Amino acid sequence: MNKKTVKDIDVCGKKVLVRVDFNVPLNEKREVTDETRIVAALPTIEYLLSQNAKIILCSHLGRPKGEFKPEFSLAPVAQRLEKLLNRKITFAADVIGPEAKAAVENIKEGEIVLLENVRFHKEETKNDPDFAKQLASYADIFVNDAFGTCHRAHASTAGVADYIPAVAGFLIGKELDFLGNALENPVRPFVAILGGAKVADKIGVINNLINKVDSIIIGGGMAYTFLKAKGNEVGDSLVDEESIGLSLDLLKKAEEKGVDIFLPVDAIEADKFDANAKTQVVPVEHMSAGWMGLDIGPATRMLFTDKIRTAKTVVWNGPMGVFEMEAFAEGTRAVAKAMAESEAVTIIGGGDSAAAVKIFGYADAMTHISTGGGASLEFLEGKELPGVAALLDK
Ligand code: AMP
């Protein structure tokens, strides 16, 4: 990585504002149900503690749309962080209000303050310079460790870097190393697997990956746009009509570049979008009018898992079917299992695929599971992430 990290700057005894990604799921009792993102930020926090820094943490949680909403408070996260670090956390119930200001003013070496949800201010997502300046005024140094929001140019991810020296935390370093190495220095054969519903989100990714990979596997709802582009009738399956032309262009480009694209050869189609729908397995050439493909079929599972078994690097983003419903989870499970059993470098690009890998119990077997779905997708697309671009160069 060509950006300075927290190790390249003297943080001893300094006030350090750390943007973390504590956007964790909460249940109705407002308890943290998955602490992965909190745990992912610990190496940076522990390093800063070892340097006696004065640590001011800030994060967003959910989409409160610029106003205080108790269900989006970071208070439960402060409690969980206290347990994980086994030390007291001062939780400030505002961001640029009197509580935060007092807490930051009185902070001592080796202490931690967690500010309330930065998205309680609409200025955050607008990257308002005054808001960013106020946040920056709390500290001598800014450390960005929120990989999950690096693709957003917000006040607390990019704006603050205009006012104080900004460096990367260890999580961002790790994410960029794994994703960057896979793209720039892959052990071959390198296979990318893409799925999910929104084909438009992934056109740019495929376009970039065609220049890097040996083959691309396309499953999930997005596959039907490609199948339709190739002339298949796909019944009521998800199709993005506007992306049909682009899909054809990509198939052509892949052929010119000698990159194999593998599409489903069969599907599990359902008579309605429902966990208890009637289902049947059909070859993609014979999909039924009025039915919709909600998972890849058994022949496709074999085809895709064979390709995964012979790969040396696999990057995966997007489920193979509506895995949230057990009837349509088999394809996603098969891909997760094949990756888990493979000796290859296996990288999960966050979001739904990361959730699926955890649900199916394969998380420990992967080389790297990204904490940022949107951010890793934009990285795979070859875009510069604003939260990374704002950091000091090495
Ligand atoms: P995305 O945000 O584009 O990665 O899409 C993820 C969503 O795609 C998940 O919620 C899946 O349920 C959904 N999905 C996967 N396969 C299909 C399909 N064949 N038809 C409809 N939705 C799908």
Side-chain angles (χ1 to χ4, degrees):
M1 191 177 65
N2 61 351
K3 293 293 180 180
K4 282 195 178 172
T5 77
V6 65
K7 283 224 163 147
D8 298 317
I9 197 162
D10 180 15
V11 291
C12 261
K14 302 259 172 67
K15 279 188 177 171
V16 183
L17 177 70
V18 190
R19 176 53 157 103
V20 284
D21 179 7
F22 286 168
N23 182 27
V24 292
L26 303 173
N27 62 17
E28 57 293 341
K29 287 195 257 158
R30 290 174 58 207
E31 293 159 340
V32 176
T33 54
D34 181 352
E35 63 186 21
T36 309
R37 284 180 163 165
I38 308 177
V39 171
L42 294 182
T44 296
I45 297 172
E46 278 164 350
Y47 173 75
L48 290 169
L49 285 171
S50 78
Q51 301 295 303
N52 275 325
K54 302 166 181 169
I55 306 168
I56 302 144
L57 302 174
C58 70
S59 175
H60 77 287
L61 194 158
R63 292 187 175 164
K65 306 224 167 96
E67 58 185 276
F68 175 79
K69 292 191 182 127
E71 65 271 31
F72 295 109
S73 170
L74 280 167
V77 175
Q79 286 174 8
R80 183 60 67 95
L81 186 62
E82 252 180 9
K83 277 203 193 113
L84 286 167
L85 285 171
N86 195 21
R87 74 168 53 223
K88 187 174 167 352
I89 309 290
T90 303
F91 177 66
D94 53 26
V95 185
I96 49 168
E99 271 207 36
K101 283 185 181 142
V104 167
E105 218 155 84
N106 298 321
I107 190 170
K108 305 211 171 40
E109 292 186 1
E111 287 185 354
I112 302 176
V113 169
L114 172 62
L115 305 179
E116 184 52 288
N117 191 341
V118 278
R119 287 199 192 160
F120 286 166
H121 293 262
K122 59 183 181 324
E123 292 83 356
E124 161 66 1
T125 51
K126 288 185 177 158
N127 195 4
D128 178 83
D130 288 331
F131 183 68
K133 200 171 175 181
Q134 288 194 61
L135 279 175
S137 74
Y138 289 161
D140 310 301
I141 293 165
F142 172 59
V143 175
N144 189 358
D145 212 19
F147 182 72
T149 45
C150 265
H151 58 312
R152 309 272 182 226
H154 291 171
S156 72
T157 62
V160 284
D162 287 340
Y163 304 99
I164 46 176
V167 297
F170 297 129
L171 174 63
I172 286 194
K174 184 172 129 193
E175 292 269 12
L176 295 181
D177 279 349
F178 275 113
L179 292 167
N181 267 336
L183 286 198
E184 300 312 326
N185 226 351
V187 191
R188 293 186 182 276
F190 176 12
V191 176
I193 309 169
L194 295 170
K198 293 176 235 103
V199 66
D201 283 3
K202 278 140 195 163
I203 295 273
V205 179
I206 299 174
N207 198 29
N208 188 42
L209 289 180
I210 281 179
N211 305 309
K212 319 251 178 207
V213 302
D214 299 294
S215 49
I216 301 178
I217 289 172
I218 299 177
M222 64 182 278
Y224 298 102
T225 300
F226 283 86
L227 289 167
K228 181 115 195 240
K230 289 182 77 172
N232 288 67
E233 288 304 328
V234 296
D236 279 357
S237 305
L238 206 63
V239 170
D240 176 0
E241 297 287 343
E242 283 178 13
S243 298
I244 288 183
L246 286 170
S247 306
L248 259 191
D249 294 345
L250 286 177
L251 292 173
K252 236 188 258 153
K253 185 173 167 187
E255 201 177 331
E256 283 160 18
K257 296 247 173 195
V259 171
D260 294 319
I261 300 229
F262 297 103
L263 291 167
V265 292
D266 60 353
I268 298 180
E269 57 174 14
D271 65 342
K272 54 181 178 218
F273 192 89
D274 190 285
N276 300 311
K278 256 196 241 149
T279 63
Q280 57 197 22
V281 174
V282 284
V284 291
E285 294 81 15
H286 298 114
M287 295 193 66
S288 321
W291 290 54
M292 57 192 82
L294 295 185
D295 196 8
I296 55 174
T300 309
R301 289 203 295 268
M302 273 188 24
L303 171 71
F304 288 2
T305 52
D306 273 354
K307 299 298 158 201
I308 293 167
R309 276 192 203 109
T310 52
K312 291 275 186 331
T313 304
V314 187
V315 173
W316 178 25
N317 191 300
M320 297 291 101
V322 184
F323 74 104
E324 299 92 335
M325 301 178 191
E326 188 46 42
F328 312 110
E330 215 43 58
T332 304
R333 187 183 280 116
V335 162
K337 181 167 184 279
M339 285 182 73
E341 287 170 357
S342 131
E343 297 286 308
V345 174
T346 46
I347 295 179
I348 312 295
D352 280 322
S353 355
V357 161
K358 282 180 206 161
I359 293 167
F360 300 141
Y362 295 118
D364 291 343
M366 302 298 169
T367 310
H368 178 68
I369 301 180
S370 176
T371 54
S376 61
L377 212 52
E378 291 203 11
F379 187 87
L380 295 177
E381 206 173 332
K383 285 189 181 161
E384 186 170 52
L385 308 176
V388 177
L391 306 175
L392 292 173
D393 289 325
K394 260 207 172 127

